[in-house]
Amino acid sequence: MKINYDSKYYPNKLRNISNPPKQIFAVGNIDILNSFSIAIIGSRNCTTYGVRMTKKFIKELAKYNINTVSGLAVGIDKCVHVNTIEENVCTIAVLPCGLNNIYPKEHKTLVEKIINSGGCVITEYENDVSANSKQFLERNRIITGISDGVLIVEGGYRSGTSVTAKIAKKQSKKIFCIPSSLENSKGIVPNNLIKNGAILVTDETDIIKNYKGLEKQEKKKEKNIICNNKCNKIYSILNEDGMNIDEIINKTKLKVDEVNYQLMILELDGYIEQLPGKQYRRR
């Protein structure tokens, strides 16, 4: 979906940055683009400590159903998207390329999972545009711009993470940093940012207390799987008792091959399971 700057679907937070994209291209659940979210960024060559801290904070923020934003790169970005999905919360991936030219290529499956879990993938570039170094930098202003705050996990000297932090500061975003060992070369950026006024965080409360209206959810929201209308239509009629494929076809009014395809996708993503006799039920 192409969303022009003057469209009612254009994210309000992006309108407030100094150089907003003239248009964005989005696939997935565009409603979450205006929801509260925290960007989580860090090194591509991340440490095990960085991965552990990313998982820890995502698990804690999930208690508040807080969406995450990251850049689909390897390392911390991938960890953000994967673990957000595992916590049944939505995640937004911002690309430095067109939607037909996913970078890195090995994350095409991750893109599908983001969409299938109710998340959204966005870019300012036309569908067939390839990624380059300039576009990585341009992409970063959207990651921070569409977020309500930025959590820095790790970053080396003169890294992309340090550049993104500078962009976030110019956008007057709250910057949160996870402290790191002085012996960790990837801890240079968060430690220096803390010295210069960024907010040191040791758990989610250090983030939550900076925003009004955020409350823990006693019950996590059910997985949102609006990958597309057909997929959602099938999932919505299933229960835990099981339903025959003929009954699914009858209720959804979809073609046989379409139902079979969507059931396969739902099963591969772990949302449903097949029982004997062509019966399907929610997991």
Side-chain angles (χ1 to χ4, degrees):
M1 178 179 183
K2 182 178 180 180
I3 305 174
N4 292 318
Y5 182 85
D6 57 359
S7 167
K8 65 179 181 180
Y9 299 109
Y10 192 92
N12 291 325
K13 281 176 279 190
L14 280 186
R15 295 184 193 276
N16 296 325
I17 67 175
S18 60
N19 53 343
K22 294 179 180 179
Q23 78 273 314
I24 59 173
F25 301 87
V27 59
N29 180 14
I30 63 173
D31 290 337
I32 65 170
L33 299 179
N34 283 311
S35 299
F36 185 89
S37 61
I38 294 291
I40 305 179
I41 60 174
S43 300
R44 288 179 173 83
N45 298 316
C46 56
T47 66
T48 55
Y49 171 77
V51 171
R52 288 201 312 273
M53 290 301 102
T54 300
K55 291 180 177 180
K56 163 185 160 65
F57 274 86
I58 287 175
K59 189 176 186 67
E60 292 173 348
L61 292 173
K63 299 172 186 175
Y64 300 81
N65 282 338
I66 293 175
N67 300 325
T68 64
V69 183
S70 205
L72 201 74
V74 297
I76 294 300
D77 285 14
K78 178 182 178 181
C79 187
V80 171
H81 297 308
V82 169
N83 283 277
T84 302
I85 292 169
E86 289 182 356
E87 292 297 330
N88 299 346
V89 184
C90 298
T91 187
I92 300 168
V94 186
L95 307 183
C97 52
L99 292 169
N100 291 343
N101 224 334
I102 301 298
Y103 182 88
K105 291 182 179 179
E106 61 265 30
H107 285 180
K108 286 183 179 180
T109 301
L110 179 54
V111 165
E112 293 174 4
K113 289 184 177 180
I114 290 171
I115 297 166
N116 291 350
S117 63
C120 192
V121 179
I122 66 172
T123 180
E124 67 179 308
Y125 304 108
E126 297 283 348
N127 286 341
D128 295 321
V129 173
S130 299
N132 61 44
S133 56
K134 176 175 178 289
Q135 288 161 199
F136 277 104
L137 294 176
E138 292 173 343
R139 178 271 309 271
N140 291 343
R141 83 190 193 286
I142 299 178
I143 291 176
T144 56
I146 207 165
S147 307
D148 294 273
V150 181
L151 174 61
I152 310 289
V153 180
E154 287 185 317
Y157 178 67
R158 298 187 72 172
S159 62
T161 303
S162 64
V163 174
T164 306
K166 290 178 182 177
I167 294 171
K169 187 174 181 180
K170 287 181 180 179
Q171 293 175 349
S172 299
K173 302 289 182 177
K174 292 185 183 298
I175 301 175
F176 307 97
C177 293
I178 299 172
S180 190
S181 167
L182 299 181
E183 296 177 341
N184 178 12
S185 63
K186 302 301 180 182
I188 292 174
V189 170
N191 288 345
N192 282 342
L193 286 169
I194 290 168
K195 283 200 303 183
N196 289 285
I199 302 169
L200 184 153
V201 297
T202 57
D203 60 39
E204 87 283 5
T205 60
D206 294 322
I207 297 174
I208 299 302
K209 66 185 179 183
N210 287 276
Y211 302 97
K212 294 180 180 180
L214 295 179
E215 297 180 354
K216 279 188 179 181
Q217 307 297 312
E218 291 185 7
K219 183 179 179 182
K220 282 186 182 179
K221 63 183 180 181
E222 183 181 350
K223 279 192 176 182
N224 190 353
I225 59 159
I226 45 178
C227 48
N228 57 57
N229 290 335
K230 294 173 183 177
C231 178
N232 193 47
K233 182 183 288 188
I234 291 172
Y235 185 78
S236 66
I237 66 169
L238 294 179
N239 53 41
E240 296 179 357
D241 298 325
M243 185 176 292
N244 184 276
I245 189 168
D246 292 330
E247 190 176 358
I248 296 172
I249 293 169
N250 183 52
K251 286 192 173 185
T252 60
K253 307 301 182 186
L254 296 174
K255 294 180 180 179
V256 176
D257 57 346
E258 188 63 56
V259 170
N260 281 321
Y261 174 74
Q262 299 298 344
L263 287 171
M264 178 188 70
I265 296 299
L266 288 167
E267 188 174 6
L268 286 173
D269 285 341
Y271 294 113
I272 67 171
E273 61 181 340
Q274 184 176 354
L275 304 173
K278 281 285 186 177
Q279 295 270 336
Y280 293 87
R281 70 178 181 187
R282 293 191 186 191
R283 281 189 179 276

XYZ file of all heavy atoms in Angstrom, residues 233-252 263 272-282:
266
model
N -9.781 -14.519 8.065
C -11.139 -15.055 8.027
C -11.156 -16.518 8.463
O -12.019 -16.947 9.234
C -11.714 -14.919 6.611
C -13.155 -15.413 6.488
C -13.642 -15.317 5.043
C -13.880 -13.901 4.633
N -14.527 -13.817 3.287
N -10.172 -17.279 7.991
C -10.097 -18.692 8.350
C -9.776 -18.852 9.830
O -10.429 -19.609 10.543
C -9.046 -19.414 7.479
C -9.521 -19.490 6.037
C -8.756 -20.817 8.018
C -8.481 -20.005 5.064
N -8.774 -18.111 10.283
C -8.362 -18.248 11.687
C -9.484 -17.861 12.650
O -9.670 -18.473 13.702
C -7.132 -17.384 11.949
C -6.560 -17.539 13.342
C -5.780 -18.638 13.666
C -6.805 -16.581 14.319
C -5.254 -18.788 14.935
C -6.286 -16.720 15.597
C -5.509 -17.826 15.900
O -4.995 -17.974 17.167
N -10.251 -16.846 12.276
C -11.289 -16.336 13.177
C -12.416 -17.327 13.433
O -13.089 -17.265 14.463
C -11.871 -15.025 12.621
O -12.568 -15.271 11.411
N -12.646 -18.269 12.510
C -13.760 -19.206 12.700
C -13.311 -20.507 13.373
O -14.144 -21.309 13.799
C -14.459 -19.554 11.362
C -13.508 -20.332 10.449
C -14.993 -18.299 10.684
C -14.203 -20.921 9.233
N -12.000 -20.701 13.479
C -11.511 -21.931 14.104
C -11.576 -21.841 15.625
O -11.523 -20.763 16.204
C -10.063 -22.211 13.671
C -9.842 -22.526 12.193
C -8.360 -22.745 11.933
C -10.643 -23.748 11.768
N -11.683 -23.005 16.259
C -11.647 -23.076 17.711
C -10.697 -24.203 18.119
O -9.967 -24.739 17.294
C -13.057 -23.308 18.273
C -13.748 -24.518 17.630
O -13.111 -25.543 17.413
N -15.023 -24.385 17.312
N -10.717 -24.563 19.389
C -9.801 -25.592 19.868
C -10.365 -27.007 19.713
O -9.694 -27.984 20.033
C -9.432 -25.317 21.334
C -8.658 -24.012 21.505
C -8.313 -23.732 22.952
O -8.725 -24.522 23.820
O -7.635 -22.728 23.212
N -11.595 -27.103 19.256
C -12.217 -28.420 19.099
C -11.925 -29.052 17.750
O -11.971 -30.274 17.599
C -13.739 -28.311 19.292
C -14.093 -27.839 20.693
O -13.358 -28.216 21.626
O -15.074 -27.091 20.839
N -11.668 -28.228 16.756
C -11.386 -28.743 15.424
C -12.541 -28.523 14.465
O -13.715 -28.536 14.859
N -12.204 -28.289 13.201
C -13.214 -28.043 12.183
C -12.785 -28.714 10.886
O -11.625 -28.619 10.475
C -13.410 -26.541 11.976
C -14.526 -26.178 11.024
S -14.764 -24.372 10.915
C -15.382 -24.007 12.554
N -13.712 -29.390 10.242
C -13.435 -30.081 8.994
C -13.199 -29.068 7.878
O -13.816 -28.002 7.847
C -14.612 -30.999 8.644
C -14.346 -31.824 7.405
O -14.549 -31.353 6.287
N -13.881 -33.048 7.597
N -12.326 -29.427 6.930
C -11.987 -28.497 5.853
C -13.209 -28.126 5.016
O -13.331 -26.995 4.546
C -10.867 -29.069 4.963
C -10.382 -27.987 3.975
C -11.322 -30.331 4.238
C -9.110 -28.345 3.254
N -14.158 -29.077 4.837
C -15.375 -28.755 4.073
C -16.194 -27.689 4.786
O -16.787 -26.809 4.144
C -16.213 -30.013 3.872
C -15.539 -31.022 2.955
O -14.783 -30.590 2.063
O -15.761 -32.237 3.131
N -16.211 -27.767 6.106
C -16.955 -26.774 6.886
C -16.273 -25.412 6.807
O -16.942 -24.370 6.739
C -17.052 -27.231 8.346
C -17.998 -26.389 9.184
C -18.142 -26.923 10.602
O -17.529 -27.968 10.910
O -18.846 -26.279 11.393
N -14.944 -25.421 6.782
C -14.197 -24.165 6.647
C -14.499 -23.508 5.313
O -14.753 -22.300 5.232
C -12.683 -24.431 6.777
C -12.343 -24.947 8.179
C -11.884 -23.152 6.482
C -10.905 -25.416 8.329
N -14.508 -24.302 4.254
C -14.806 -23.788 2.911
C -16.215 -23.219 2.867
O -16.459 -22.138 2.311
C -14.643 -24.909 1.868
C -13.167 -25.321 1.768
C -15.170 -24.470 0.507
C -12.924 -26.575 0.966
N -17.151 -23.947 3.466
C -18.556 -23.522 3.471
C -18.743 -22.203 4.211
O -19.461 -21.313 3.758
C -19.424 -24.606 4.105
C -20.895 -24.255 4.067
O -21.455 -23.924 3.028
N -21.539 -24.317 5.218
N -18.064 -22.054 5.364
C -18.246 -20.852 6.188
C -17.524 -19.633 5.624
O -18.008 -18.507 5.750
C -17.772 -21.125 7.610
C -18.720 -22.016 8.409
C -18.351 -22.018 9.894
C -19.399 -22.765 10.695
N -19.149 -22.695 12.158
N -16.361 -19.851 5.023
C -15.583 -18.719 4.513
C -15.947 -18.336 3.087
O -15.631 -17.239 2.638
C -14.078 -19.032 4.562
O -13.804 -20.187 3.746
C -13.622 -19.293 5.999
N -4.398 -22.483 5.095
C -4.242 -23.431 6.196
C -2.785 -23.873 6.328
O -2.272 -24.033 7.445
C -5.145 -24.653 5.979
C -6.647 -24.438 6.205
C -7.423 -25.664 5.732
C -6.952 -24.149 7.673
N -2.107 -22.972 13.975
C -3.093 -24.041 13.984
C -2.387 -25.383 13.860
O -1.189 -25.436 13.553
C -4.121 -23.894 12.834
C -3.433 -24.110 11.479
C -4.824 -22.543 12.896
C -4.406 -24.185 10.314
N -3.122 -26.461 14.094
C -2.576 -27.793 13.869
C -3.624 -28.652 13.181
O -4.831 -28.443 13.345
C -2.136 -28.434 15.184
C -3.241 -28.631 16.198
C -2.710 -29.255 17.474
O -1.622 -29.861 17.427
O -3.383 -29.146 18.519
N -3.132 -29.605 12.389
C -4.032 -30.496 11.658
C -4.270 -31.760 12.475
O -3.346 -32.356 13.023
C -3.446 -30.860 10.293
C -4.378 -31.710 9.444
C -3.810 -31.983 8.060
O -2.771 -31.456 7.697
N -4.488 -32.797 7.286
N -5.542 -32.171 12.530
C -5.945 -33.389 13.219
C -6.319 -34.446 12.182
O -6.489 -34.129 10.998
C -7.142 -33.091 14.130
C -6.951 -31.971 15.165
C -8.265 -31.680 15.859
C -5.873 -32.342 16.164
N -6.450 -35.693 12.582
C -6.887 -36.734 11.643
C -8.230 -36.377 11.002
O -9.084 -35.745 11.619
C -7.014 -37.976 12.537
C -6.064 -37.726 13.658
C -6.135 -36.242 13.917
N -8.398 -36.784 9.746
C -9.663 -36.540 9.060
C -9.802 -35.135 8.519
O -10.920 -34.618 8.385
N -8.667 -34.494 8.204
C -8.691 -33.127 7.640
C -9.393 -32.148 8.571
O -10.125 -31.252 8.131
C -9.366 -33.123 6.257
C -8.488 -33.605 5.111
C -7.467 -32.544 4.727
C -6.680 -32.938 3.495
N -5.748 -31.882 3.073
N -9.188 -32.323 9.865
C -9.710 -31.392 10.864
C -8.585 -30.412 11.250
O -7.428 -30.805 11.326
C -10.164 -32.151 12.110
C -11.343 -33.097 11.886
C -12.661 -32.409 12.118
O -12.755 -31.425 12.836
N -13.708 -32.942 11.513
N -8.963 -29.164 11.497
C -7.993 -28.160 11.899
C -8.495 -27.434 13.141
O -9.686 -27.187 13.288
C -7.765 -27.146 10.766
C -7.101 -27.741 9.558
C -7.866 -28.350 8.561
C -5.716 -27.734 9.418
C -7.250 -28.915 7.449
C -5.098 -28.293 8.312
C -5.866 -28.882 7.344
O -5.264 -29.454 6.242
N -7.565 -27.079 14.016
C -7.939 -26.331 15.219
C -6.835 -25.357 15.578
O -5.677 -25.503 15.172
C -8.194 -27.276 16.384
C -6.948 -27.962 16.953
C -7.288 -28.827 18.129
N -6.082 -29.458 18.682
C -6.094 -30.375 19.638
N -7.246 -30.795 20.130
N -4.953 -30.876 20.102
N -7.185 -24.346 16.369
C -6.185 -23.395 16.874
C -5.249 -24.104 17.853
O -5.658 -24.976 18.571
C -6.859 -22.241 17.609
C -7.700 -21.326 16.744
C -8.068 -20.097 17.530
N -8.986 -19.238 16.815
C -9.297 -18.003 17.188
N -8.777 -17.515 18.298
N -10.143 -17.273 16.490
